[in-house]
Every structure is written in C-alpha cells, then in structure tokens.
Amino acid sequence: MSTYWPLIGVALVVIGFVLRMNPALVVVVSGVVTALVAGKTPVQVLELLGEAFTKQRYLALFLLTLPAIGLLERHGLKERAQAWIAKLRGVTAGRALVAYLAGRQLLSALGLYDLGGHAQTVRPLMAPMVLGAAENAHGALPEATREKLQAMTAASENVGRFFGEDVFIAFGAVLLMQGFFAENGIALEPLQIALWGIPTAICAFVIHASRLLRMDARLAREIEALRARAAAGSAP
C-alpha cells in the first residue's frame, strides 16, 4: 500500500482546483508533496524543479506575448473587435464560435496549433467578438450569461486544438503512441495513427458545433424570459 502514497499529489490537485485556488501554486505544491512522499529529499526536489525548468524553459516564451496583448487591449482592441463583429449581419455568438472551432481545428491538424490560444486569441479577440455578437442580437447581457459565453469560447479553443493536433503526424502525442505500440510489438507509422484521429476530430467538431448552435437558441429563450419577467415586474 505504501507505493500508492505518491498519488496523494493527484488528490491535492483535485482539491486545489475544486477550491479554485491558484493553479500554478496547486501544481507546484502537489509536485513537491509527491516527491517528498516518494522519498526524495528537499535538495533533490529542488534539483528536479531546476532541471525541469532548464529543460522546458522555452515554454516561458509565451510570456513575451503578454505585454503586447496588454498594450493592444489598453488601446481598445476589445472595443474594436466588438464594433467589427456588430457590423456583420446574421452573425451570432454560436456561429462565430463554430467558425473559430473549424479554423482552429484545421490549423492544428496542419501543425499550426500555436497560432491561437487562450492568452493571445481567446481573451483579447474571440471573447469580445462573441459577446459583441450576442449583445448586438439581444442587447445588454446579464453577468452570468456573459460568463457562460466566455466559458464556451474557451471550450471551443480547447476542443479545436486538442482534437486537431492529434491529426498532425509530428505531434508529440502521436509519436508517444507510436513508441508505446512499438514497445508492445505493434508496428505503426505516425501517419496511420494520425489518420485514425480524423474520425474522432470530425465527431468532436460535430458534437461541439451542435452545442454552440443550441447555445444560440437557449440564449434567445433566456433573454426573452428575462425581458418578460422585467415587463411583468414593471406592470402596475
């Protein structure tokens, strides 16, 4: 049973996320606790953290985009995105997200999965455009509705990238699967694995796109119900 004690780190991650604590702090604390329970000394834990940071330091390059995004937002990027989407007739929040989902998935399948992302695309561009489309159709939105739309925008980014990148033959997960199968005596080419990812990607697109289009209908019903209650409350 003692060999299962390091799994306490998984429980800490779950608890931390449920309590909505700082994700970075939760992950670091969980990793340190896991290493200590596994028998590592504090010095060895620091060595592991330092080694991981040195090997993966290129991941911190995304921090360079944050000042640029902040400067663009300061000069009205969100407002211009909302104004632009408001000029397009027939564009709803759901349709805008379906288009983004399709483009995100296609680009990820071609290996261009870093062209989008939560920090550089979803927050400064897509979320304001989706909110602008919804407000253009329904007027001012309740805060809870705005948060739901932002959550669906983030979900569209996740679905598009996750299921799109598995179709790219040079993606790390595809090569990892190839290595796993090879270790167990099953010879597969990355192209074969990537091709079998296409049906899953198509299903993911259809399922999520249908959710987005249903979101439009649900949003219209919710706004209509809110207006009816407001009218009933203001009636003499």
Side-chain angles (χ1 to χ4, degrees), residues 99-114:
Y100 179 73
L101 173 67
R104 190 72 175 102
Q105 202 165 28
L106 179 61
L107 290 174
S108 297
L110 297 175
L112 303 176
Y113 36 76
D114 287 330

Side-chain angles (χ1 to χ4, degrees), residues 7-48:
L7 294 177
I8 193 173
V10 178
L12 291 176
V13 170
V14 173
I15 293 172
F17 286 170
V18 169
L19 297 178
R20 296 187 177 182
M21 300 175 67
N22 186 290
L25 180 62
V26 170
V27 171
V28 172
V29 171
S30 301
V32 171
V33 171
T34 299
L36 294 175
V37 173
K40 300 292 185 180
T41 66
V43 174
Q44 289 175 322
V45 173
L46 290 176
E47 290 177 348
L48 289 172

Side-chain angles (χ1 to χ4, degrees), residues 107-148:
L107 290 174
S108 297
L110 297 175
L112 303 176
Y113 36 76
D114 287 330
L115 289 183
H118 292 285
Q120 63 268 38
T121 305
V122 173
R123 184 182 184 277
L125 284 176
M126 279 310 302
M129 289 173 65
V130 170
L131 292 174
E135 290 175 349
N136 187 46
H138 306 290
L141 302 173
E143 186 60 29
T145 302
R146 293 174 63 88
E147 291 182 356
K148 289 179 182 178

Side-chain angles (χ1 to χ4, degrees), residues 54-76:
T54 301
K55 289 183 177 180
Q56 307 295 335
R57 60 184 180 275
Y58 68 90
L59 295 176
L61 290 177
F62 81 94
L63 295 174
L64 298 177
T65 65
L66 299 183
I69 293 172
L71 185 62
L72 290 172
E73 289 189 354
R74 183 181 179 87
H75 289 276

